[in-house]
Amino acid sequence: MPSVSTGAPVTTGASAAQFPATSESVVDTRLAPGRPGYRRTSFALFAAGVATFALLYSTQALLPAISAGFGVTAGRASWTVSAATGALALFVLPLSALSERFGRRTMMTASLAVAVAVGLLVPFAPSIEWLVALRALQGAALAGVPASAMAYLAEEVRPKALIAAIGLFVAGNSVGGMSGRVVAGWVAQLWGWRAALGAVGLLAVGCAVVFRLLLPKARHFTPRSLSPRALARTVGGHLSDPLLRRLYAIGGLFMVVFGAVYTALGYRLVEAPFNLPQGVIGSIFLVYLVGTVSSAAAGRLVARLGRRGALYLAVSTTAAGLLLSLADTLVAVLLGLVLITAGFFAGHAVASAAVSRTATTGRAQASALYQSAYYLGSSAGGTLGAVAFHAGGWSATVSLGLLAGAGVVSVTLYGTHAARGERRRQALSAKAA
């Protein structure tokens, strides 16, 4: 990402060399705090994040009620979450390619419109199979939002403000996940899970309208023709980048932890010794507010600790929360969830921002690959977490989370070792020259 630009549009393939910061006459027209449009953009994408996560995880807090309503196991009910996240993972790359041709703003608008329309049909699903199918369709529609949003920000926002802007979008995700679950929990307790899904759908409609009204037109987007061969080259280039591969793995592994914990959580809390009603279980998701704070603070963490240091802190916080949640007291479980949520959202914000800054061409595809890994992790974590809970209780779910966290540490340590090795090779080459 260039540090400055001329008044001409900045393409997704622009390099720093094209826009050198050597002339006082060069003016950067991209958005930054205090500039016109920055606040509107931030609030618009915050609303998009709320709608996306509210819809994507709308059934997660309702899984025990859905299991009871259709007479199915936790594993089968968990597919109402995993089908949505899995479909999003599969469709995010092709829809990001369409955004290169038709624009980020157009793609996000169309995706939200289809997703909220399906969301209004979901409460009327006559069987678990229909519910899973509609949720898969909803996830596929939502795939147009995350990667397009990241690419929009990378093109329209100055690099120094990018992590903060992406952090606010991720914060919108956390608020959406929280509000959707809280609303669903209390509405389900009063009128049943179908009414709860309808309420989440209406919430998403409102957010989609706010998004469309606030988001400014892109000023630095240049349309590209749709070329499968060019797309394959771009994707191949990203997958051949060792740093991007590590960031994709980190995002997926973090999401395995998060998906497993929050899918199995409802089943644990309805059982002894907690025996909590649906409304109270939904309210527990207020801990998502911690994610809002930690994701928004990701930029400061990176500035102070560096990217790897911030990731180590995030995974350590998540692991501490997993261990604390093993206690059979509600206070300990809540504190554990606070740490898990804070660590996850901080790690996600750091990794996703690093992807946007690392990719100098095809940013939409780079972000799409990250989102694919991220939501595949969510899909796998949700299903495996439910199966683990059914087989071995909460301790089995925690063990799965700790294993994924160890994977994050291993990938980050490998990156540190590789970076040191590259610096040594460069130093030896300099001496030899």
Side-chain angles (χ1 to χ4, degrees), residues 18-37:
Q18 291 174 281
F19 302 103
T22 57
S23 172
E24 293 181 2
S25 63
V26 174
V27 177
D28 193 337
T29 60
R30 288 170 294 174
L31 300 173
R35 289 181 62 88

Side-chain angles (χ1 to χ4, degrees), residues 110-184:
S111 294
L112 284 176
V114 174
V116 298
V118 175
L120 297 178
L121 297 176
V122 164
F124 303 100
S127 65
I128 187 67
E129 291 79 13
W130 270 102
L131 181 57
V132 170
L134 287 171
R135 292 282 294 143
L137 178 60
Q138 193 172 50
L142 287 170
V145 179
S148 297
M150 298 294 186
Y152 180 95
L153 290 171
E155 292 163 354
E156 302 298 324
V157 176
R158 294 184 185 182
K160 289 184 178 180
L162 183 59
I163 291 181
I166 289 179
L168 192 58
F169 173 66
V170 174
N173 293 345
S174 70
V175 170
M178 174 203 70
S179 58
R181 288 167 170 90
V182 173
V183 169

Side-chain angles (χ1 to χ4, degrees), residues 5-90:
S5 76
T6 66
V10 177
T11 68
T12 55
S15 67
Q18 291 174 281
F19 302 103
T22 57
S23 172
E24 293 181 2
S25 63
V26 174
V27 177
D28 193 337
T29 60
R30 288 170 294 174
L31 300 173
R35 289 181 62 88
Y38 180 82
R39 183 170 295 182
R40 285 184 59 194
T41 298
S42 298
F43 280 119
L45 290 178
F46 181 86
V50 171
T52 299
F53 254 48
L55 289 173
L56 192 61
Y57 293 101
S58 57
T59 61
Q60 195 171 60
L62 304 172
L63 290 177
I66 292 173
S67 290
F70 287 122
V72 297
T73 64
R76 285 192 68 190
S78 72
W79 276 104
T80 64
V81 180
S82 296
T85 54
L88 189 154
L90 292 175

Side-chain angles (χ1 to χ4, degrees), residues 67-416:
S67 290
F70 287 122
V72 297
T73 64
R76 285 192 68 190
S78 72
W79 276 104
T80 64
V81 180
S82 296
T85 54
L88 189 154
L90 292 175
F91 280 85
V92 67
L93 185 58
L95 291 188
S96 74
L98 289 178
S99 81
E100 296 278 12
R101 175 66 181 85
F102 299 105
R104 322 301 187 193
R105 188 170 181 259
T106 299
M107 177 54 63
M108 288 187 282
T109 300
S111 294
L112 284 176
V114 174
V116 298
V118 175
L120 297 178
L121 297 176
V122 164
F124 303 100
S127 65
I128 187 67
E129 291 79 13
W130 270 102
L131 181 57
V132 170
L134 287 171
R135 292 282 294 143
L137 178 60
Q138 193 172 50
L142 287 170
V145 179
S148 297
M150 298 294 186
Y152 180 95
L153 290 171
E155 292 163 354
E156 302 298 324
V157 176
R158 294 184 185 182
K160 289 184 178 180
L162 183 59
I163 291 181
I166 289 179
L168 192 58
F169 173 66
V170 174
N173 293 345
S174 70
V175 170
M178 174 203 70
S179 58
R181 288 167 170 90
V182 173
V183 169
W186 283 106
V187 173
Q189 184 170 319
L190 295 172
W191 296 293
W193 64 267
R194 293 182 184 273
L197 291 178
V200 173
L202 292 174
L203 170 67
V205 169
C207 289
V209 171
V210 169
F211 162 80
R212 190 63 179 82
L213 292 175
L214 289 182
L215 189 68
K217 291 182 179 180
R219 300 176 61 192
H220 300 283
F221 170 75
T222 300
R224 293 182 173 185
S225 60
L226 294 175
S227 170
R229 184 174 297 179
L231 176 62
R233 284 198 303 268
T234 300
V235 171
H238 292 327
L239 292 177
S240 66
D241 187 313
L243 175 56
L244 286 176
R245 286 202 305 268
R246 291 194 294 271
L247 292 171
Y248 298 153
I250 287 169
L253 289 167
F254 262 120
M255 201 54 167
V256 167
V257 181
F258 201 67
V261 167
Y262 276 95
T263 296
L265 178 65
Y267 290 100
R268 186 189 186 196
L269 295 180
V270 297
E271 296 179 353
F274 305 106
N275 301 311
L276 297 181
Q278 189 69 58
V280 175
I281 292 174
S283 296
I284 286 175
F285 289 95
L286 285 168
V287 298
Y288 260 55
L289 288 172
V290 176
T292 304
V293 175
S294 66
S295 58
R300 293 193 297 274
L301 282 177
V302 173
R304 179 172 298 182
L305 303 175
R307 185 174 62 241
R308 295 188 186 95
L311 287 173
Y312 286 134
L313 178 61
V315 75
S316 299
T317 302
T318 302
L322 286 168
L323 294 173
L324 185 58
S325 72
L326 288 168
D328 285 332
T329 65
L330 187 57
V331 171
V333 170
L334 288 176
L335 289 176
L337 286 176
V338 166
L339 294 177
I340 292 167
T341 304
F344 163 74
F345 275 104
H348 169 42
V350 171
S352 59
V355 168
S356 294
R357 297 198 65 169
T358 300
T360 57
T361 61
R363 288 193 179 91
Q365 285 73 47
S367 294
L369 288 169
Y370 176 83
Q371 297 294 332
S372 291
Y374 177 79
Y375 286 109
L376 282 173
S378 175
S379 185
T383 298
L384 292 174
V387 170
F389 181 81
H390 182 73
W394 185 252
S395 59
T397 302
V398 168
S399 297
L400 173 66
L402 291 173
L403 183 63
V408 173
V409 172
S410 299
V411 171
T412 308
L413 282 172
Y414 177 81
T416 302

